[in-house]
Amino acid sequence: WETCWFKVKLDIPLAWAGREVHFVWESDGEGMVWRDAQPVQGLTKEGEKTSYILTRSLKDSEPHSLTLYVELACNGLFGAGKGSMIAPPDPDRRVTLSKAELVVFNRDVYELLVDLEILLDMAQLLGEEDQRSFQALYTANQMVNVCDVLDPSTFPAARDLAAAIFSQRNGESQHTIHAMGHCHIDSAWLWPYEETIRKCARSWVTVVHLMEHNPELTFACSQLGLIPVLWQAQQFEWVRSWYPGLYTRIQHFVAKGQFIPVGGTWVEMDGNLPSGESMVRQFLQGQRFFQEQFGRICSEFWLPDTFGYSAQLPQLMHGCGIQRFLTQKLSWNLVNSFPHHTFFWEGIDGSQVLTHFPPGDSYGMHGRVEEVLKTVKNNKDKGRVNHSAFLFGFGDGGGGPTQKMLDRMKRMSNTDGLPRVQISTPDQLFSVLEKESSQLCTWVGELFLELHNGTYTTQAQIKKGNRECERILHDVEVLSSLAVAQDKVFQYPASQLQRLWRLLLLNQFHDVLPGSCIQLVVEDALQYYTEIRRAGAQLQEEAVHSLCRDLLQPEARSTQSTLVLNTLPWERTQVIARPGPDGTETLALVTVPSMGYALVQEPFVPPQPVAVRKQEDGSITMENGIISVCVDMMGHLTSLQLLDSGRSSVPDGCYANQFALFDDVPLYWDAWDVMDYHLETRKPVTTLLKPLEITLAGGLRGSVSFSLQVGKSSTLTQEIILDAMCPYLRFLTQVEWKEAHKFLKVEFPVQVRSTNATYEIQFGHLQRPTHWNTSWDWARFEVWAHKWLDLSEHGFGVALLNDCKYGASAHRNILSLSL
């Protein structure tokens, strides 16, 4: 990620008058040309951008001597992996400059070569049964005969032959492709956040430069500050702060309708794991930024590269003024081919959004004949709609469109034998799709990606940080709102909360929260979580002091009183640990109203205390009048009963709270994937390090603990807790994880029969089958959930809750949580 700067002094020969002159630069690092203290052109060999046009026709009045600066980064378009794109960055990587030249560019030869490329592709790809294939072939042959490479005067006649073919028009029924410049830039992935800022500048300055010479070019940008056709607000904010001159040029082309903000969210977030409130904030912060900076909100939600899409998204889109959605990621499905490219997507409340997957199954097209033909052939909604999107430009690591891509598509704009290709905008595409939508099909529920299931679990500290920080910000806002309502002097911390929310939203980017990023990014993300925790705790304390000022005065409190707050919208009775006068913790059973607080002085005694008993076989039973549990020496639950029902939740001969270790060796995407065949490698964890023992003997709380060895060198310690008046059992689990290519889960077989399990999602829940009848069922062998999953039959059920996990499964009667 190191940077070096080159000062380049150029002297253009007087003999080149009237010629097109380029500065050519080839390197295996990403570069950017600066001129007059402003960025003017990205230079990336992998993105086919190796020259900067100094003049299109050298005039005497133009400067013949000038100085440029080239900023060169020691990383390529896809980071700096050692030996493989997704390998860790190579700390010893060197960057090589292989070419720096001042050259005359022969535009006539270039145009001739593009003509021949299109004709030869038509000849090869249209097939022997298509007469246009032969017409293209014979025309190319004639061009070769006419053209004398040593005599430029023969070039126009050769080009005229090509123009005759390209000018033969299509019929009205031909499919129309809506081509939009695009440059997907991951806010962090194989490079850190800081490098993304420069990637945005390299890519966007190149797009703006292209627009200045191609007024028809449109660019959809979904990451504010990152992508040409897609704009994530965060990326725009980066460019606005770091490259104000470039940002002003972007605003000019936004006003002209060429640089088009799409997306509507702060970043292109993961589509599964953020909470409902986080997703609302993604849209709120994104749409507010677009409104303030560009005078409009986005009408399309643009999320092409995340690992599945929650069934709650259509409702959230509707609430944020969006009724159109574009992605293409489900083309990556490993098992089932998704049956549509244009359809209505219906969420859990019945909200519908018009959804389009570009049929070329890519957001990085290059404008080739092969790609436009695939777009038509691949379209699964032929007959229902006759229009589709075509996103062209280098992406993921940035880069964006090139002049050659535009020149190819100009030749295909309306050429018989090929689909009609027009430079378009997202609004133009969706407007025509809306007019053709009467025959479209409807897909109900989640858009589940049958790949990358490991991202629900990878990087446990990031998952924990996300869940904790979501809770912290919720609590700060609840307490601050109550404080404002009660205390006119209290200032609601709006600006501080916006800063913390934006840090959290940034970390929900679709390669950060899933854990599919390099170590540098993880370190940055964990630092952001630490900052949210620190600042959030301070804001929470300020709100509590304002809200409960009178109760916190020393004279208002006895030495035994404790202030207890409840930020959830229901009354809670719960055992809490409170600090005693000598520094030790004491337990108390308290009741606190919904969204309120209580001063606890004399905690009440439970009607039935927790009883803890050790049995002759070494197992331990705990009971609190609501549930009873029996735990064996290995920490397994051999019995779990809801006393009123008289039913045991654990089937005879089975163990709940069973830890199991699986091999985790995917086909390629190591941090992303867990394959179905991992289920064939299950090994129960059976090595006991510290046998079961009683840690709290009952009363308000009973608990037992034990330790296991996991794999070759990891350890697991767990405390199982039962509180008075509590209808659930708690498991405090600590794992010292030192395994490689292993996957740890905990399983709970339950005595419940149901063909569907229920999983919490954003602001709701979703049912998924517990059987594997079809390929669609078994492709969901590992799924995501938020705080709970539940298996219930009429009148009875068991739920498994968690405070920081997302990966889960329910197959037949076994609930499993991925740790």
Side-chain angles (χ1 to χ4, degrees), residues 642 649 748 750-761 764-770 783-802 808-817:
L642 184 64
S649 303
F748 289 83
V750 294
Q751 200 152 299
V752 176
R753 179 166 176 77
S754 176
T755 55
N756 288 290
T758 307
Y759 301 79
E760 190 202 22
I761 65 169
H765 59 265
L766 190 71
Q767 289 197 325
R768 300 183 178 111
T770 57
V783 298
W784 62 273
H786 281 192
K787 294 186 287 292
W788 55 263
L789 63 150
D790 168 274
L791 192 65
S792 291
E793 58 189 50
H794 180 70
F796 188 81
V798 179
L800 181 57
L801 292 78
N802 76 85
S809 65
H811 184 225
R812 303 189 70 83
N813 70 324
I814 299 175
L815 300 177
S816 178
L817 190 66

Side-chain angles (χ1 to χ4, degrees), residues 372-397:
V372 299
L373 292 177
K374 178 184 177 182
T375 295
V376 177
K377 182 179 179 181
N378 212 33
N379 185 7
K380 293 175 180 168
D381 295 282
K382 296 184 186 78
R384 297 190 181 99
V385 291
N386 205 23
H387 296 256
S388 59
F390 185 90
L391 309 181
F392 65 95
F394 288 93
D396 289 335

Side-chain angles (χ1 to χ4, degrees), residues 642-673:
L642 184 64
L643 295 174
D644 281 353
S645 72
R647 276 183 69 160
S648 176
S649 303
V650 181
D652 292 341
C654 293
Y655 298 121
N657 196 38
Q658 170 68 64
F659 293 94
L661 198 62
F662 299 80
D663 292 342
D664 179 24
V665 187
L667 297 175
Y668 177 68
W669 299 99
D670 201 347
W672 290 256
D673 283 349

Side-chain angles (χ1 to χ4, degrees), residues 625-687:
I626 302 173
I627 59 176
S628 70
V629 61
C630 181
V631 186
D632 72 9
M633 292 286 287
M634 292 288 297
H636 301 133
L637 308 189
T638 57
S639 171
L640 176 62
Q641 285 192 314
L642 184 64
L643 295 174
D644 281 353
S645 72
R647 276 183 69 160
S648 176
S649 303
V650 181
D652 292 341
C654 293
Y655 298 121
N657 196 38
Q658 170 68 64
F659 293 94
L661 198 62
F662 299 80
D663 292 342
D664 179 24
V665 187
L667 297 175
Y668 177 68
W669 299 99
D670 201 347
W672 290 256
D673 283 349
V674 57
M675 313 307 296
D676 57 342
Y677 53 75
H678 87 282
L679 297 170
E680 300 172 19
T681 66
R682 178 182 179 275
K683 296 180 182 66
V685 176
T686 57
T687 305

Side-chain angles (χ1 to χ4, degrees), residues 711-728:
K712 291 184 177 180
S713 50
S714 301
T715 57
L716 180 151
T717 301
Q718 188 177 72
E719 185 181 12
I720 303 175
I721 300 169
L722 181 62
D723 284 343
M725 297 184 66
C726 185
Y728 55 84

Side-chain angles (χ1 to χ4, degrees), residues 14-169:
L14 294 173
W16 290 3
R19 310 294 294 275
E20 182 171 339
V21 183
H22 290 199
F23 167 56
V24 171
W25 179 277
E26 288 189 14
S27 167
D28 56 1
E30 289 193 271
M32 183 155 67
V33 181
W34 291 71
R35 185 173 182 175
D36 301 325
Q38 291 296 325
V40 291
Q41 169 80 55
L43 293 170
T44 306
K45 189 173 182 180
E46 297 158 287
E48 295 183 5
K49 296 179 183 68
T50 56
S51 69
Y52 168 59
I53 301 175
L54 296 168
T55 175
R56 294 178 185 271
S57 179
L58 183 63
K59 299 179 179 64
D60 291 340
S61 58
E62 290 183 278
H64 285 53
S65 297
L66 65 154
T67 300
L68 304 176
Y69 291 87
V70 177
E71 178 188 13
L72 185 62
C74 188
N75 54 268
L77 202 60
F78 291 94
K82 188 173 184 177
S84 160
M85 181 181 75
I86 61 171
D90 179 4
D92 299 318
R93 178 186 169 95
R94 299 289 185 271
V95 64
T96 302
L97 173 60
S98 53
K99 185 182 286 187
E101 297 177 349
L102 192 60
V103 304
V104 169
F105 184 79
N106 194 318
R107 179 67 58 180
D108 290 336
V109 171
Y110 165 82
E111 298 288 359
L112 200 55
L113 289 172
V114 177
D115 286 343
L116 283 166
E117 178 195 312
I118 300 296
L119 290 170
L120 291 173
D121 282 349
M122 289 174 66
Q124 287 180 313
L125 298 168
L126 289 177
E128 292 186 4
E129 68 280 1
D130 192 322
Q131 69 169 0
R132 287 293 280 174
S133 168
F134 288 93
Q135 290 172 355
L137 178 62
Y138 277 77
T139 299
N141 188 63
Q142 282 181 284
M143 289 172 66
V144 172
N145 293 338
V146 165
C147 181
D148 180 351
V149 294
L150 299 178
D151 181 5
S153 67
T154 64
F155 296 174
R159 291 214 60 211
D160 288 344
L161 291 169
I165 280 279
F166 298 142
S167 64
Q168 291 173 337
R169 300 305 180 204

